[in-house]
Amino acid sequence: MRRFKAIMMAAACCAMAGSASAASPSAEVRTWRQAHEREILADFSKLLAMPNVATNLPDVERNAAYISGLLETRGFKTRLLRASPGTPPSVFAELRTPGAKRTVVFYAHYDGQPVAQKGWLNPPFQPTLRTAPPEDKEVTVPAQGPINPDWRIYARSAGDDKAPIQAMISALDALKARGIKPSVNIKLLYEGEEEQGSPNFGRIIAQNLELVRGDLLIFGDGPMHQSGKQLISGGNRGIAGFTAMVYGPNKPLHDGHYGSWVPSPSVMIADLVMSLRTEDGRILIPGIADEVTPATAADKAGLAAMPPVEEDLKKALGLGRTIGPKRLADGYLSPTLNVRAIHAGDDGPNAANAIATEASASFDFRLAPGQTPARIRKVTEAYLTSKGWFIVRDTPDAATRLAHPKIVRLAWDEGSSIATKTPLETPAAQAVAKSIGRTVGYDVIQLPIVGGSSGFAEIVNQLKAPMVTVSIANYDDNQHARNENLRIGNLWDGIEVYAGLVADLDW
Amino acid sequence: MRRFKAIMMAAACCAMAGSASAASPSAEVRTWRQAHEREILADFSKLLAMPNVATNLPDVERNAAYISGLLETRGFKTRLLRASPGTPPSVFAELRTPGAKRTVVFYAHYDGQPVAQKGWLNPPFQPTLRTAPPEDKEVTVPAQGPINPDWRIYARSAGDDKAPIQAMISALDALKARGIKPSVNIKLLYEGEEEQGSPNFGRIIAQNLELVRGDLLIFGDGPMHQSGKQLISGGNRGIAGFTAMVYGPNKPLHDGHYGSWVPSPSVMIADLVMSLRTEDGRILIPGIADEVTPATAADKAGLAAMPPVEEDLKKALGLGRTIGPKRLADGYLSPTLNVRAIHAGDDGPNAANAIATEASASFDFRLAPGQTPARIRKVTEAYLTSKGWFIVRDTPDAATRLAHPKIVRLAWDEGSSIATKTPLETPAAQAVAKSIGRTVGYDVIQLPIVGGSSGFAEIVNQLKAPMVTVSIANYDDNQHARNENLRIGNLWDGIEVYAGLVADLDW
């Protein structure tokens, strides 16, 4: 009886919460997945077949309702959160785990990029199974036996970002079928407007702070590392873009008659560009890096431990050299100044030999942790002023033109953002690294932050929770482009990763 | 009898050739013109009403036949000169003057620029009389009294270049009516393809060298000086253009992830531009000016005597500063490097944050007297090579990309030319200056060469004759653009200038 009671108590204990020291559920989940590949793929196709460009509100509502239904079937309480009527909702879903001490919020987005590109092999909302590139041959699911994991499903959002949604749902199904309970309380936050720049997401969070709060936010978006190894990152850089327009004569002039005497906007814009950064990437603006939070020892260790991809990447990209840091990711904790475009002169038939009236260039700063768009604007404008530029916000009138030797019209982009950085040595982040490490059987790459930007910093700050990025889509998923696809094996692996994050995560 | 004989001999002398010391025929020509303004304008309108874009061969033939007819009526022997069948002819016409020791060849062209521009006030081949700009009101010729000389006739080629053709014809009519004989043998050479770049004119000259030869070539094209004063010039600069394309990664890359590590074509092209010339116009290529013929004392005197237009021009062009020499024309005896266009990056919707795969810029050198396109090509390419550029002529293949850190594809334009310069102190040029000076009653401006280019150097070299440019069209004639026009007063003045060049020219 006493033994029976002990067993019962052990069973009760484990029935209440999956223990953090339990073995990784991977093997169990894999067994289940292997027996259900066709159903999983059919469910995923059904999800992908729903058009999901956020500018189409009826489509978005259909996705949100459908996903809510899927989650309710699995025991979630769901709500649709809108910043205001007529804007795409975020799907919020909660599944409490009795006895669990931590609450983990999983983010993904169910909307997708526009689909106007030419060259899709199949219509973007007609999910199609194909062999691996470059063959891309259409195939059908075999009646039995494993589906070739190198095959891919081609549809918009197959990678970005419905893959983590399907992975979570299938992970929960697998765990339930195998009798494994989650180790955390689960909150799901699936946004409907990410590809539009998340214009309302900050307000959704602000209006629902208590509801969506948790101890850890797992940001489920983005493709995996080039090496194919699992990677977590602690955030991303910020962004501050601007355009500059410079002015020459007030009408186009024959450059034979005037070229030696009239300032040339083409040369002025090239000069402005080269005054801001060197060809090998050094930003020349004094004070530009004043606010940057220095890299920590853990940052440096994480970067040093990254697998070397540079040689292969150089060859794949056809580069005779690289600039800046020897290792690609080493630049992510510093600011970068990119020159997106330069346009000077005109290709029109009678314009060839003309001194143009103006020229322009478009730039983006990528902000390192600690930097603010406001200070970047300030030091950049102070520097240009020190170089003799008179800064205007509108087209200069005649009096202004005559009064200043060098005029530049500066316009800073609306959508700027700061960097987000959760130190990966924090217990929550390390718990994620270890969970995934147990799932995949090797130490995951720990990238302090990714090089790209996102509007999430302000949102994450509201939640006051550490945020870790986890990715499952294959590196070459063609996100944002034509022929977006998810490698089947990546879905299988993603199910195991999410199962581990739900049932084998504790700190 | 002896006195009668002296008078008869004097009369015979003057009947054979207009004496170089005779008074300018201006007053006589003006008297005649004042009595014939309506007829002259009607004749000019008839000439302008004939469409004359050189790509339309029937139109061109019509112009050539018509102009030949007009000249034959005035006693010229005419011939149509073609480089080969099916190409636009030059009209050649000769009128010998018994006893004249000099032969003067007058050049103009009867073809015009294309007329596809939007915004013509009247159809380009429907010559219309209007009041002066900005009013531009349509008016009709009054039944009697002088026609307002500030009115303008609006039509394609009114300024460029049928004005000198009408001026010559009316000058000859005036001289004949007033009993004044030419002082020179007259050859007229009216080209039919100048606006197409004179592709066949060199061959026409080569094939008819003895026929077209003379002691002086008067190049009748171009607008008058900004000051409104008469100007002669001894030639023009040459031209050598090229485009440069630089290469980055072999596919567009996300500039957040890659911007600190991958060379940016936008920055590379700006860097290339600034390595070639400074913002204030200095060319940085070693040896670029090695071949330049230094300015002569006469050149400097001519430049120094030019009326100062710079302050007014600065204001009119809306410039807060100028670059290079203080005086506009002082730059014409040196080379200039113009940057016609820079194109880097793409304005497409998903391209904003991409590192582009390539970027390009388009340049033109204006050549000073003595310089050759071949040497300019050589020193420019040697300099770029010294700056680490690997020069290619085609898109680089994968192996080339990997083997070189900086690759530039250089393509030199086909239509290059050298400068032409007749020293204005030569007797023929001084005779032209003095003739026009007597016509207008002041010392004409003597500009060593104009800043623009023309393919005429090779042609002029074949003729081995001094060439002087004389212009009669108003400065703001909108040549090459919509609403080309000739100010009526400029036609009246032009008739007097041409009458002087025909009847009051000797050396």
Side-chain angles (χ1 to χ4, degrees), chain B residues 45-78:
Chain B
S45 296
K46 196 166 169 192
L47 180 62
L48 293 176
M50 309 186 71
N52 64 344
V53 182
T55 45
N56 186 318
L57 199 56
D59 281 350
V60 159
E61 296 283 0
R62 249 187 297 274
N63 275 265
Y66 179 68
I67 292 168
S68 299
L70 296 177
L71 297 171
E72 280 163 11
T73 305
R74 276 98 181 151
F76 283 82
K77 287 185 159 57
T78 73

Short mmCIF file of all heavy atoms in Angstrom, two decimals, chain B residues 45-78:
data_model
loop_
_atom_site.label_atom_id
_atom_site.label_comp_id
_atom_site.label_asym_id
_atom_site.label_seq_id
_atom_site.Cartn_x
_atom_site.Cartn_y
_atom_site.Cartn_z
N SER B 45 8.90 81.72 -92.23
CA SER B 45 7.85 80.80 -91.77
C SER B 45 7.71 79.62 -92.73
O SER B 45 7.51 78.49 -92.30
CB SER B 45 6.52 81.53 -91.67
OG SER B 45 6.60 82.54 -90.69
N LYS B 46 7.82 79.91 -94.02
CA LYS B 46 7.68 78.83 -95.00
C LYS B 46 8.81 77.81 -94.80
O LYS B 46 8.58 76.60 -94.87
CB LYS B 46 7.74 79.44 -96.40
CG LYS B 46 7.23 78.51 -97.49
CD LYS B 46 6.99 79.28 -98.79
CE LYS B 46 6.75 78.26 -99.91
NZ LYS B 46 6.81 78.88 -101.24
N LEU B 47 10.01 78.32 -94.54
CA LEU B 47 11.15 77.44 -94.32
C LEU B 47 10.96 76.63 -93.03
O LEU B 47 11.22 75.43 -92.97
CB LEU B 47 12.43 78.28 -94.22
CG LEU B 47 13.75 77.55 -93.99
CD1 LEU B 47 14.06 76.59 -95.15
CD2 LEU B 47 14.90 78.55 -93.82
N LEU B 48 10.46 77.29 -91.97
CA LEU B 48 10.28 76.61 -90.68
C LEU B 48 9.13 75.62 -90.69
O LEU B 48 9.09 74.71 -89.88
CB LEU B 48 10.07 77.65 -89.58
CG LEU B 48 11.24 78.56 -89.26
CD1 LEU B 48 10.84 79.60 -88.21
CD2 LEU B 48 12.44 77.76 -88.77
N ALA B 49 8.17 75.82 -91.60
CA ALA B 49 7.00 74.94 -91.61
C ALA B 49 7.33 73.57 -92.18
O ALA B 49 6.50 72.66 -92.12
CB ALA B 49 5.88 75.59 -92.40
N MET B 50 8.53 73.40 -92.70
CA MET B 50 8.90 72.10 -93.29
C MET B 50 9.50 71.21 -92.20
O MET B 50 10.59 71.50 -91.71
CB MET B 50 9.93 72.31 -94.41
CG MET B 50 9.51 73.35 -95.43
SD MET B 50 10.68 73.42 -96.82
CE MET B 50 10.28 71.87 -97.63
N PRO B 51 8.80 70.11 -91.83
CA PRO B 51 9.35 69.21 -90.81
C PRO B 51 10.76 68.76 -91.22
O PRO B 51 11.02 68.50 -92.40
CB PRO B 51 8.38 68.03 -90.81
CG PRO B 51 7.10 68.59 -91.33
CD PRO B 51 7.50 69.65 -92.33
N ASN B 52 11.65 68.67 -90.23
CA ASN B 52 13.06 68.47 -90.60
C ASN B 52 13.86 67.57 -89.68
O ASN B 52 15.07 67.74 -89.53
CB ASN B 52 13.76 69.85 -90.68
CG ASN B 52 13.79 70.54 -89.32
OD1 ASN B 52 13.06 70.18 -88.40
ND2 ASN B 52 14.64 71.55 -89.18
N VAL B 53 13.18 66.60 -89.03
CA VAL B 53 13.95 65.67 -88.19
C VAL B 53 14.69 64.71 -89.11
O VAL B 53 14.07 64.08 -89.98
CB VAL B 53 13.02 64.91 -87.22
CG1 VAL B 53 13.84 63.99 -86.31
CG2 VAL B 53 12.21 65.90 -86.38
N ALA B 54 15.98 64.57 -88.92
CA ALA B 54 16.83 63.88 -89.91
C ALA B 54 16.53 62.41 -90.08
O ALA B 54 16.92 61.82 -91.08
CB ALA B 54 18.31 64.06 -89.55
N THR B 55 15.82 61.81 -89.13
CA THR B 55 15.49 60.40 -89.29
C THR B 55 14.38 60.19 -90.32
O THR B 55 14.10 59.07 -90.71
CB THR B 55 15.04 59.81 -87.95
OG1 THR B 55 14.12 60.74 -87.32
CG2 THR B 55 16.23 59.59 -87.01
N ASN B 56 13.75 61.29 -90.75
CA ASN B 56 12.71 61.19 -91.78
C ASN B 56 13.29 61.66 -93.11
O ASN B 56 13.35 62.85 -93.41
CB ASN B 56 11.50 62.06 -91.37
CG ASN B 56 10.34 61.89 -92.31
OD1 ASN B 56 10.50 61.83 -93.53
ND2 ASN B 56 9.14 61.80 -91.75
N LEU B 57 13.73 60.71 -93.90
CA LEU B 57 14.47 61.07 -95.11
C LEU B 57 13.64 61.86 -96.13
O LEU B 57 14.15 62.84 -96.68
CB LEU B 57 15.09 59.80 -95.74
CG LEU B 57 16.25 60.06 -96.73
CD1 LEU B 57 17.37 60.86 -96.07
CD2 LEU B 57 16.78 58.75 -97.27
N PRO B 58 12.38 61.50 -96.38
CA PRO B 58 11.58 62.32 -97.31
C PRO B 58 11.49 63.79 -96.85
O PRO B 58 11.62 64.70 -97.68
CB PRO B 58 10.21 61.65 -97.27
CG PRO B 58 10.50 60.22 -96.92
CD PRO B 58 11.67 60.27 -96.00
N ASP B 59 11.29 64.00 -95.57
CA ASP B 59 11.25 65.39 -95.05
C ASP B 59 12.57 66.10 -95.33
O ASP B 59 12.60 67.26 -95.74
CB ASP B 59 11.01 65.40 -93.53
CG ASP B 59 9.55 65.17 -93.17
OD1 ASP B 59 8.69 65.19 -94.07
OD2 ASP B 59 9.28 64.97 -91.97
N VAL B 60 13.65 65.39 -95.07
CA VAL B 60 14.99 65.97 -95.25
C VAL B 60 15.21 66.31 -96.72
O VAL B 60 15.69 67.42 -97.05
CB VAL B 60 16.05 64.97 -94.73
CG1 VAL B 60 17.41 65.24 -95.33
CG2 VAL B 60 16.10 65.01 -93.22
N GLU B 61 14.85 65.41 -97.59
CA GLU B 61 15.01 65.68 -99.04
C GLU B 61 14.20 66.90 -99.47
O GLU B 61 14.65 67.71 -100.29
CB GLU B 61 14.60 64.44 -99.85
CG GLU B 61 15.46 63.20 -99.60
CD GLU B 61 16.81 63.25 -100.30
OE1 GLU B 61 17.12 64.25 -101.00
OE2 GLU B 61 17.59 62.28 -100.14
N ARG B 62 13.02 67.02 -98.89
CA ARG B 62 12.17 68.17 -99.22
C ARG B 62 12.84 69.47 -98.83
O ARG B 62 12.86 70.43 -99.60
CB ARG B 62 10.82 68.06 -98.48
CG ARG B 62 9.63 67.77 -99.40
CD ARG B 62 8.33 67.86 -98.61
NE ARG B 62 8.26 66.86 -97.54
CZ ARG B 62 7.83 65.61 -97.71
NH1 ARG B 62 7.43 65.19 -98.91
NH2 ARG B 62 7.81 64.77 -96.69
N ASN B 63 13.41 69.50 -97.61
CA ASN B 63 14.13 70.69 -97.17
C ASN B 63 15.29 71.00 -98.10
O ASN B 63 15.50 72.14 -98.52
CB ASN B 63 14.67 70.50 -95.74
CG ASN B 63 13.67 70.80 -94.66
OD1 ASN B 63 13.64 71.93 -94.14
ND2 ASN B 63 12.82 69.85 -94.31
N ALA B 64 16.06 69.97 -98.42
CA ALA B 64 17.26 70.17 -99.25
C ALA B 64 16.89 70.71 -100.62
O ALA B 64 17.53 71.63 -101.14
CB ALA B 64 18.03 68.85 -99.36
N ALA B 65 15.83 70.14 -101.20
CA ALA B 65 15.41 70.60 -102.53
C ALA B 65 14.93 72.04 -102.48
O ALA B 65 15.26 72.87 -103.34
CB ALA B 65 14.30 69.68 -103.06
N TYR B 66 14.16 72.33 -101.43
CA TYR B 66 13.61 73.69 -101.31
C TYR B 66 14.71 74.72 -101.13
O TYR B 66 14.74 75.77 -101.79
CB TYR B 66 12.63 73.72 -100.14
CG TYR B 66 12.01 75.07 -99.89
CD1 TYR B 66 11.12 75.63 -100.81
CD2 TYR B 66 12.32 75.81 -98.75
CE1 TYR B 66 10.56 76.88 -100.61
CE2 TYR B 66 11.76 77.07 -98.54
CZ TYR B 66 10.88 77.60 -99.47
OH TYR B 66 10.32 78.83 -99.26
N ILE B 67 15.65 74.42 -100.24
CA ILE B 67 16.74 75.36 -99.98
C ILE B 67 17.60 75.52 -101.23
O ILE B 67 18.01 76.65 -101.58
CB ILE B 67 17.57 74.90 -98.76
CG1 ILE B 67 16.73 75.02 -97.47
CG2 ILE B 67 18.87 75.70 -98.63
CD1 ILE B 67 17.34 74.34 -96.26
N SER B 68 17.86 74.42 -101.92
CA SER B 68 18.61 74.52 -103.18
C SER B 68 17.91 75.46 -104.15
O SER B 68 18.54 76.30 -104.79
CB SER B 68 18.76 73.14 -103.83
OG SER B 68 19.47 72.27 -102.99
N GLY B 69 16.58 75.34 -104.23
CA GLY B 69 15.82 76.21 -105.13
C GLY B 69 15.95 77.67 -104.76
O GLY B 69 16.16 78.54 -105.61
N LEU B 70 15.87 77.95 -103.46
CA LEU B 70 16.01 79.33 -103.01
C LEU B 70 17.38 79.90 -103.42
O LEU B 70 17.48 81.07 -103.82
CB LEU B 70 15.92 79.42 -101.48
CG LEU B 70 14.60 79.03 -100.80
CD1 LEU B 70 14.77 79.11 -99.26
CD2 LEU B 70 13.46 79.95 -101.25
N LEU B 71 18.41 79.08 -103.32
CA LEU B 71 19.76 79.56 -103.62
C LEU B 71 19.98 79.71 -105.12
O LEU B 71 20.65 80.64 -105.57
CB LEU B 71 20.79 78.61 -102.99
CG LEU B 71 20.72 78.53 -101.46
CD1 LEU B 71 21.61 77.42 -100.92
CD2 LEU B 71 21.12 79.88 -100.84
N GLU B 72 19.41 78.79 -105.87
CA GLU B 72 19.56 78.90 -107.33
C GLU B 72 18.92 80.19 -107.84
O GLU B 72 19.45 80.85 -108.73
CB GLU B 72 18.96 77.66 -108.00
CG GLU B 72 19.91 76.48 -107.96
CD GLU B 72 19.23 75.17 -108.24
OE1 GLU B 72 18.05 75.19 -108.67
OE2 GLU B 72 19.86 74.12 -108.02
N THR B 73 17.79 80.55 -107.23
CA THR B 73 17.13 81.81 -107.59
C THR B 73 18.07 83.00 -107.39
O THR B 73 17.98 84.00 -108.09
CB THR B 73 15.89 82.00 -106.71
OG1 THR B 73 15.05 80.85 -106.84
CG2 THR B 73 15.12 83.25 -107.11
N ARG B 74 18.96 82.86 -106.39
CA ARG B 74 19.89 83.96 -106.11
C ARG B 74 21.21 83.81 -106.86
O ARG B 74 22.17 84.51 -106.57
CB ARG B 74 20.18 84.05 -104.61
CG ARG B 74 19.14 84.84 -103.82
CD ARG B 74 18.13 83.94 -103.16
NE ARG B 74 17.11 84.71 -102.43
CZ ARG B 74 15.88 84.30 -102.24
NH1 ARG B 74 15.49 83.12 -102.71
NH2 ARG B 74 15.02 85.05 -101.56
N GLY B 75 21.24 82.90 -107.85
CA GLY B 75 22.42 82.82 -108.70
C GLY B 75 23.45 81.79 -108.27
O GLY B 75 24.53 81.68 -108.85
N PHE B 76 23.16 80.98 -107.22
CA PHE B 76 24.13 79.97 -106.80
C PHE B 76 24.06 78.76 -107.72
O PHE B 76 23.01 78.42 -108.27
CB PHE B 76 23.81 79.49 -105.38
CG PHE B 76 24.24 80.43 -104.29
CD1 PHE B 76 23.44 81.53 -103.94
CD2 PHE B 76 25.43 80.22 -103.61
CE1 PHE B 76 23.86 82.40 -102.94
CE2 PHE B 76 25.84 81.09 -102.60
CZ PHE B 76 25.04 82.19 -102.26
N LYS B 77 25.22 78.11 -107.89
CA LYS B 77 25.24 76.76 -108.44
C LYS B 77 25.09 75.83 -107.23
O LYS B 77 25.85 75.97 -106.26
CB LYS B 77 26.58 76.48 -109.10
CG LYS B 77 26.81 77.19 -110.43
CD LYS B 77 28.15 76.70 -111.02
CE LYS B 77 28.28 76.90 -112.52
NZ LYS B 77 28.12 78.28 -112.98
N THR B 78 24.17 74.89 -107.30
CA THR B 78 23.97 74.03 -106.13
C THR B 78 24.18 72.57 -106.47
O THR B 78 24.04 72.16 -107.64
CB THR B 78 22.55 74.18 -105.53
OG1 THR B 78 21.61 73.55 -106.41
CG2 THR B 78 22.19 75.64 -105.31
#
